[in-house]
Amino acid sequence: MSIVTIPRLDLLAYTQGSAAQRRQFSQDIGTAFTGTGFATITNHGMDKALITELYKVIQAFFALPEEKKRQYEIPGLAGQRGYTSKGREKAKDAQTPDLKEFWQRGQTLRDDTLSKADYPDNVAVSEIPRFDIVTGTIYSRLEAIGRELLKAIAVYLNLDEDYFESKVHQGNSILRAIHYFPIDEPDHLPADAVRAGAHEDINLITLLIGASADGLEVLTRGGTWYPVKAHGEDIVVNVGDMLQRLTNNKLKSTTHRVVNPPRELMKMSRYSVPFFLHPQASMSLAALQSCVDDQHPSAYPDTTAGEYLNERLREIGLK
């Protein structure tokens, strides 16, 4: 049986700690990301009241009538803004769609680095007055936390601490609110139907603000599934495929899934809110030279973040 270690790391040790504490945090998160690819983060600055309100507004949105929600499903955006209905997204290579629906919020342009041709406007929800304010605040907070984590990762990789800063400034990041809807007739489901099929994330790193129920599992190196549980308001952070490609597999984008609950809990909804931290589309994902040598030749063809994202969106059924 594989030994799984998902460390709980204190972000204040990096943002406000001594030089020694900062080095140790970088080492700890780097070690986690070369192993399971997952860590949990505490003292990240997101207060409990804000997280509680986030879950309140997203539950209110998904409780809207189906015809109301579908008004926010925008053709041609590959689900990158607004609502995506049930039966649309599937894991790569899966035949059956995931048992979920979701809402996505993207980058809000704050300077002239990019334009609306790059990032469409976010979709406002008129029925829930606080929805746009709360999701916008969460987006900004998680983006800031993610940038601090990337600084620590850069140090671990022996790069300049600000290596990622210019690449993720006005990056194509996504906040996704997911509703894993009740499973009312489990006997009528396809045998392979699950809330989220086994997959890896597309982006640099993912930050997940808890969830309303258990179900997240990671695939260990030994081929077994291990449940991930966070403490209270901790954030679960994992490596995405873009960072794995950039580091030539040094940092691991670990396969994970969300399993169906026990039969007695199937009629209960599950909600979760991941933040997928992306760079700008123009960022090269060519392997860092420091991660390539005779024992570790470059494992992937060169591509950009935008090209890779479009490829993956087609594979999971959104394009």
Side-chain angles (χ1 to χ4, degrees), residues 33-50:
F33 285 172
T34 59
T36 61
F38 275 75
T40 62
I41 305 296
T42 187
N43 285 329
H44 43 69
M46 298 271 288
D47 61 272
K48 184 177 180 179
L50 179 61

Side-chain angles (χ1 to χ4, degrees), residues 235-254:
I235 291 174
V236 177
V237 182
N238 65 275
V239 175
D241 283 354
M242 290 184 185
L243 188 56
Q244 177 173 266
R245 291 178 74 105
L246 185 71
T247 62
N248 200 35
N249 295 329
K250 181 181 179 72
L251 304 186
K252 309 297 186 186
S253 179
T254 301

Side-chain angles (χ1 to χ4, degrees), residues 4-5 25 30 35 70 75 90 92 97 107-108 146 155 163 175 202 214 228 240 261 267 270 277-278 280 286 291 303:
V4 176
T5 301
F25 183 93
R70 285 186 178 273
K90 63 181 183 63
K92 179 183 175 182
Q107 186 67 258
T108 300
V155 170
Y163 174 84
L175 180 74
I202 300 170
D214 292 339
V228 178
K267 292 191 176 181
R270 181 185 190 270
L277 197 156
H278 284 259
Q280 292 186 16
C291 296
T303 189

Side-chain angles (χ1 to χ4, degrees), residues 293-312:
D293 56 32
D294 291 342
Q295 288 72 45
H296 306 90
S298 183
Y300 305 100
D302 293 353
T303 189
T304 65
E307 290 167 344
Y308 185 66
L309 174 62
N310 285 330
E311 173 190 329
R312 290 295 304 278

Side-chain angles (χ1 to χ4, degrees), residues 217-237:
E217 296 182 348
V218 301
L219 185 62
T220 70
R221 301 293 172 241
T224 59
W225 290 98
Y226 180 85
V228 178
K229 298 180 186 294
H231 296 255
E233 286 72 52
D234 284 3
I235 291 174
V236 177
V237 182

Side-chain angles (χ1 to χ4, degrees), residues 280-293:
Q280 292 186 16
S282 59
M283 178 184 176
S284 172
L285 299 181
L288 297 167
Q289 285 305 302
S290 60
C291 296
V292 177
D293 56 32

